[in-house]
Amino acid sequence: MCKLQHTKGPWEACSRGDYTDFDGNSQVILGNDMRIGVVHSYDIEGEANARLIAAAPEMLELLIDLCIYNCSGCSGKTKGCSGKCGLNIIPVIEKATGLKIEEVLSE
């Protein structure tokens, strides 16, 4: 698989107020001891957004694995999935990586 360009996981959503350079309602997303992003989480929705962002690397990895290993008859190198797995995950992988599926799956 090609070298993906994002910071490797796992990512972590820190507790609100952990960083004094942001107001007490902000959650910092960390990956590899660096800041990935900040969610200004004043409510439950903001906290859910922070958790979703923090889970992104693992979700992407699972989608790529699904494309490679679990789609019977689908190499992922075609214009679209065969549909045998019931999902068309290629556009999601391409959106997340900014790469064509052939680049993501290349070695």
Side-chain angles (χ1 to χ4, degrees):
M1 195 178 320
C2 76
K3 181 167 176 33
L4 298 177
Q5 299 165 341
H6 67 274
T7 302
K8 298 287 181 212
W11 292 0
E12 169 190 7
C14 297
S15 297
R16 282 192 267 170
D18 277 357
Y19 287 83
T20 57
D21 53 339
F22 294 102
D23 66 29
N25 291 311
S26 298
Q27 285 184 270
V28 174
I29 312 301
L30 294 177
N32 264 353
D33 292 327
M34 70 180 217
R35 293 177 189 187
I36 302 298
V38 177
V39 175
H40 300 288
S41 54
Y42 299 98
D43 55 17
I44 293 171
E45 182 180 10
E47 291 180 9
N49 290 339
R51 287 191 305 271
L52 181 61
I53 293 167
E58 289 91 349
M59 291 190 296
L60 177 60
E61 186 177 332
L62 288 170
L63 286 175
I64 292 170
D65 286 349
L66 178 68
C67 191
I68 292 172
Y69 301 111
N70 297 330
C71 291
S72 175
C74 179
S75 67
K77 298 182 181 187
T78 59
K79 200 69 175 150
C81 277
S82 65
K84 293 185 186 249
C85 67
L87 302 170
N88 191 351
I89 61 174
I90 289 176
V92 176
I93 294 170
E94 291 179 341
K95 180 179 179 181
T97 62
L99 301 169
K100 292 291 183 192
I101 194 66
E102 295 84 4
E103 296 172 280
V104 173
L105 299 179
S106 69
E107 297 188 58

